[in-house]
Amino acid sequence: MDPFDAGAGGILRQPKAVWATAGASVVAFMGIGLVDPILPSIAKGLDASAGQVSLLFTSYFLITALAMLVTGFVSSRIGGRRTLLLGLAFVVVFAGLAGTSDTVGQLVGYRAGWGLGNALFVSTALAVIVGAAAGGSAAAILLYESALGLGMACGPLLGALLGDASWRYPFFGTAFLMAIGFLCITVFLKEQPKPARKTSLLDPIRALGHGGLASAAVSAFFYNYTFFTVLAFTPFVLNMTPYKSGAVFFAWGVLLAVFSVLVAPRMQRRFGSLKVLGGSLVLLAADVLVLGYGNHTAAIVCTILSGAFIGVNNTVYTELALGVSDAPRPVASAGYNFVRWFAAAAAPYFAPKIEEWTDVHIPFVVAAVTALLGAVVVAVRSRALTHEAEELEPKHASEDSVTVFAN
């Protein structure tokens, strides 16, 4: 069946519950890059340094990493609908409070609460959409993929449009949109069946005892340091107005979405997952080096271009992580993301510190090295990853590629 078919079960003929959850998912993914174009404005408005403002990412993703041990535990006990609503409520409250912050410390703390809410929501949204969708999972997965890509692309754009007037407005705007999502899910989404087996807090940690899953997680840890150096530190290097910075990261998000959903699966079928991942990591390392040492125009071009490599890496890593072990996919995903999100928390903190200790170029040298380390782990541990890379069915690739930010 063509998932774009307007007939029953097509992507355009889904229940209101599916559209409500997908719409809220767009806003949830927007929250990841929302602050990108307004980081310099926040620093100026709160009289804070680049390192202090970058902690907005650190607190967000540190809590997200820790929440990976909690989300499955919660959703398997209270159900998907209540978990979605709990996550949305956290985001509404803490995003709204973030807009009232008088100090950078308050803002960082509220962003941490936002991260907990976002983790609860996005870790559950895909399962809810698939469960409520008409006509099977294909159209539902495509709809979720579209929500992910749209959110990643539009987050910086919304941040720029609202942030041009005041850095506070993007936070209030997110709270308002998520409140609408909360109401829509309350009205349109019925409770989903609970899993037959309840997930324990330690299940994701136990899953990491598998060598292949641990290898994918460690490699992804190094890669995510590179990824979030680009996302959190580059806005200070570009030093552009919110509008211009938002346009740059909008283009970055478009490339990320296109290469994640459309390009990566085709490359995998032609060259194999491990070759694609290794090559993309090496190219990302070269890209961030040019970003760090090139002129302003080169920095803009390389920032946008990095979205292509990041999109490919996101898809392949998630497929490797979720297919390499016998652990249930939600458990394997939680363990994998528990490891890799710590790098997303570390990079925004260390990149400005490294600049203070050295100069503006060295954070990108470190980011290039971590990308290469990720490629080295893939090469050295290729035997542990070969089973998944060779035997992953195409339908798994389509399903799992959308969960890279979902869990």
Side-chain angles (χ1 to χ4, degrees):
M1 177 188 296
D2 183 357
F4 286 101
D5 188 352
I11 191 173
L12 301 179
R13 297 294 297 272
Q14 293 296 326
K16 292 179 181 179
V18 173
W19 286 112
T21 308
S25 297
V26 172
V27 182
F29 291 122
M30 288 170 62
I32 294 175
L34 179 81
V35 300
D36 245 37
I38 58 172
L39 286 176
S41 300
I42 294 174
K44 182 178 180 180
L46 294 179
D47 192 25
S49 67
Q52 289 174 314
V53 173
S54 293
L55 290 176
L56 291 175
F57 285 98
T58 297
S59 63
Y60 183 93
F61 286 111
L62 180 61
I63 296 301
T64 298
L66 295 173
M68 289 304 104
L69 303 179
V70 177
T71 53
F73 177 88
V74 173
S75 64
S76 66
R77 284 163 174 77
I78 69 174
R81 181 176 181 271
R82 292 179 181 176
T83 303
L84 290 180
L85 293 175
L86 180 63
L88 287 170
F90 270 105
V91 174
V92 170
V93 170
F94 285 103
L97 288 173
T100 68
S101 301
D102 294 321
T103 67
V104 70
Q106 290 178 354
L107 186 55
V108 169
Y110 293 143
R111 180 76 167 167
W114 183 347
L116 174 59
N118 218 48
L120 289 169
F121 176 83
V122 299
S123 66
T124 311
L126 177 58
V128 169
I129 288 176
V130 171
S137 62
I141 291 168
L142 183 59
L143 185 62
Y144 188 82
E145 287 176 338
S146 301
L148 187 155
L150 185 62
M152 289 297 294
C154 292
L157 196 60
L158 177 68
L161 293 175
L162 296 179
D164 188 62
S166 170
W167 65 264
R168 300 180 186 273
Y169 290 169
F171 299 107
F172 294 139
T174 299
F176 175 75
L177 292 174
M178 283 306 231
I180 294 176
F182 184 96
L183 293 175
C184 289
I185 288 177
T186 300
V187 173
F188 296 120
L189 180 65
K190 297 180 180 179
E191 185 55 83
Q192 305 294 298
K194 296 180 182 179
R197 177 183 177 275
K198 294 181 179 179
T199 301
S200 77
L201 292 174
L202 295 180
D203 280 350
I205 301 297
R206 295 190 185 103
L208 289 171
H210 186 280
L213 181 60
S215 299
V218 170
S219 179
F221 175 89
F222 289 121
Y223 153 67
N224 268 260
Y225 185 95
T226 308
F227 176 180
F228 285 94
T229 296
V230 173
L231 192 62
F233 184 64
T234 300
F236 294 103
V237 176
L238 296 179
N239 193 27
M240 303 166 73
T241 65
Y243 275 127
K244 292 181 179 178
S245 183
V248 168
F249 280 96
F250 173 73
W252 169 87
V254 169
L255 277 185
L256 187 154
V258 168
F259 274 75
S260 177
V261 175
L262 300 177
V263 178
R266 290 172 171 81
M267 294 178 65
Q268 288 174 272
R269 286 194 293 269
R270 181 170 182 179
F271 301 107
S273 295
L274 298 186
K275 289 182 180 179
V276 169
L277 181 58
S280 182
L281 286 167
V282 171
L283 291 174
L284 178 61
D287 181 80
V288 296
L289 275 179
V290 177
L291 195 165
Y293 281 92
N295 58 26
H296 193 258
T297 300
I300 293 174
V301 171
C302 288
T303 299
I304 296 172
L305 184 60
S306 70
F309 305 125
I310 289 169
V312 170
N313 293 338
N314 286 347
T315 294
V316 181
Y317 267 121
T318 306
E319 292 173 5
L320 289 174
L322 300 187
V324 74
S325 73
D326 295 328
R329 285 180 176 176
V331 174
S333 178
Y336 160 75
N337 284 287
F338 172 72
V339 174
R340 77 182 185 100
W341 283 131
F342 278 110
Y349 174 79
F350 283 110
K353 292 290 185 182
I354 293 171
E355 181 195 16
E356 293 176 9
W357 299 332
T358 55
D359 58 53
V360 73
H361 307 298
I362 303 303
F364 294 101
V365 174
V366 174
V369 170
T370 55
L372 292 177
L373 287 174
V376 168
V377 173
V378 170
V380 172
R381 297 289 296 167
S382 61
R383 289 178 63 88
L385 298 169
T386 296
H387 172 76
E388 193 284 333
E390 291 182 348
E391 299 187 11
L392 182 71
E393 296 180 11
K395 64 180 180 180
H396 291 171
S398 175
E399 180 176 345
D400 292 338
S401 65
V402 300
T403 62
V404 66
F405 289 107
N407 294 304

